[in-house]
C-alpha cells in the first residue's frame, strides 16, 4: 500500500501528503526524492539496514521502533480509527471487547490491538482487512485515520448496499514522522529545522487541507 493519500500516477510518479512534504524538504536540501514501493512491514527493516535513506508510510513513532531507526520530529498527530459497517452494534471502543478486529500486519494498529488483548486478524494489505470486515469475517477494522478517511470515502462512493462508518472515538492517537537509519543524526537534525519552518508557516497544514485530510498539528 502507498502511504495515506499517496497515489501512483500514469507517468510513474507518486503524489500525496507525505510525498509533498518530503519533496519540499528535498528541495531545501538540494536533492531529488527517489521513491521505491514495498510492503509496509519491509519499510523500517530496509531503513534500518541502510538500503533506503528514509522510510515514509504513515509511520507512527513508538519506543520499540525508536530502538532501530531514528525519527524526525512529528509532522502530524494521527489516530487509529475504528471502522464498522453502518448499523453495527459497535458504537464505541468499549464495544470491541470479545469481537474480532482486522488490521494491516506490521502496523501500530496491529501491535496496539494485540498488546491490549483484542482478537486480531492481520492482513498484508489494508484492502484485505477492509474486505474481511465487509464480508463479516470480523466485526471492526482498525486503521490510521488518514487512510481510513480515503478508503472509506472510496468504498462508499461505489454505492454499496451497506456503507462504512468511522466511529467518533479513536482506538488510540500517535505521532507520525519520517524514519531514518540510526547513523543519519546530522541529516535528521537538518531536516527537523526545515520541518519546523514548514509547520510554523502553515505549509504542512495547507498540504493536508489540499487532500481534504484530517490534520492535528504536533505543535501545541
Amino acid at each position: 500500500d502507498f502511504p495515506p493519500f499517496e497515489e501512483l500516477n500514469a507517468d510513474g510518479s507518486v503524489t500525496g501528503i507525505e510525498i509533498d512534504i518530503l519533496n519540499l524538504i528535498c528541495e531545501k536540501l538540494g536533492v531529488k526524492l527517489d521513491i521505491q514501493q514495498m510492503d509496509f512491514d519491509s519499510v523500517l527493516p530496509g531503513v534500518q539496514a541502510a538500503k533506503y535513506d528514509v522510510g515514509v508510510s504513515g509511520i507512527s513513532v513508538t519506543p520499540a521502533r525508536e530502538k532501530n531507526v531514528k525519527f524526525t520530529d512529528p509532522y502530524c498527530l494521527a489516530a487509529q480509527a475504528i471502522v464498522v459497517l453502518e448499523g453495527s452494534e459497535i458504537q464505541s471502543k468499549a464495544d470491541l471487547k470479545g469481537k474480532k478486529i482486522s488490521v494491516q500486519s506490521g502496523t501500530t494498529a496491529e501491535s496496539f490491538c494485540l498488546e491490549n488483548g483484542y482478537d486480531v486478524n492481520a492482513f498484508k494489505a489494508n484492502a484485505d482487512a477492509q474486505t474481511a470486515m465487509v464480508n463479516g469475517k470480523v466485526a471492526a477494522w482498525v486503521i490510521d485515520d488518514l487512510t481510513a478517511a480515503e478508503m472509506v470515502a472510496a468504498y462508499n462512493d461505489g454505492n454499496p448496499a451497506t456503507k462504512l462508518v468511522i466511529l467518533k472515538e479513536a482506538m488510540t492517537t500517535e505521532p507520525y514522522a519520517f524514519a531514518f537509519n540510526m547513523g543519519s543524526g546530522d541529516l535528521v537534525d537538518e531536516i527537523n529545522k526545515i520541518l519546523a519552518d514548514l509547520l510554523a508557516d502553515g505549509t504542512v497544514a495547507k498540504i493536508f487541507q489540499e487532500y481534504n485530510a484530517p490534520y492535528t498539528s504536533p505543535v501545541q
Side-chain angles (χ1 to χ4, degrees):
D1 290 353
F2 280 106
F5 287 87
E6 259 64 291
E7 181 177 355
L8 178 63
N9 302 313
D11 63 359
S13 63
V14 180
T15 55
I17 292 174
E18 296 170 307
I19 300 303
D20 286 1
I21 296 172
L22 274 178
N23 274 326
L24 288 175
I25 291 173
C26 287
E27 185 178 323
K28 297 286 186 181
L29 294 173
V31 298
K32 184 178 179 180
L33 187 63
D34 177 21
I35 301 169
Q36 297 187 36
Q37 183 190 10
M38 65 198 67
D39 292 331
F40 179 82
D41 51 11
S42 297
V43 175
L44 292 181
V47 171
Q48 183 181 357
K51 292 174 63 177
Y52 314 105
D53 297 306
V54 56
V56 51
S57 189
I59 301 174
S60 306
V61 180
T62 68
R65 288 174 174 172
E66 287 181 306
K67 294 178 181 178
N68 300 313
V69 296
K70 187 170 183 63
F71 285 102
T72 62
D73 291 334
Y75 56 85
C76 79
L77 296 180
Q80 289 298 332
I82 302 168
V83 183
V84 298
L85 290 173
E86 187 176 51
S88 170
E89 63 180 17
I90 296 173
Q91 298 296 311
S92 68
K93 182 177 175 179
D95 295 334
L96 292 173
K97 186 176 180 180
K99 305 293 186 183
K100 286 188 178 293
I101 300 171
S102 64
V103 298
Q104 182 183 25
S105 61
T107 63
T108 52
E110 179 186 34
S111 58
F112 179 88
C113 290
L114 288 173
E115 288 166 6
N116 287 274
Y118 292 99
D119 187 356
V120 175
N121 281 16
F123 299 86
K124 206 164 191 64
N126 264 316
D128 296 327
Q130 174 184 293
T131 299
M133 186 193 62
V134 171
N135 291 342
K137 294 181 179 179
V138 299
W141 169 34
V142 177
I143 173 179
D144 71 79
D145 60 350
L146 298 181
T147 308
E150 179 186 30
M151 293 185 70
V152 166
Y155 179 87
N156 289 343
D157 285 345
N159 300 310
T162 304
K163 304 289 186 180
L164 300 185
V165 176
I166 300 174
L167 298 187
K168 291 182 179 179
E169 182 182 12
M171 180 66 91
T172 183
T173 57
E174 52 204 24
Y176 275 6
F178 301 120
F180 287 79
N181 180 270
M182 280 296 195
S184 302
D186 291 342
L187 176 58
V188 170
D189 288 343
E190 191 172 357
I191 288 174
N192 281 339
K193 293 176 183 177
I194 297 171
L195 190 55
D197 290 338
L198 296 176
L199 288 167
D201 67 10
T203 297
V204 172
K206 184 178 179 181
I207 290 173
F208 274 76
Q209 290 169 5
E210 289 173 351
Y211 288 87
N212 296 314
Y215 178 69
T216 301
S217 173
V219 182
Q220 305 299 321

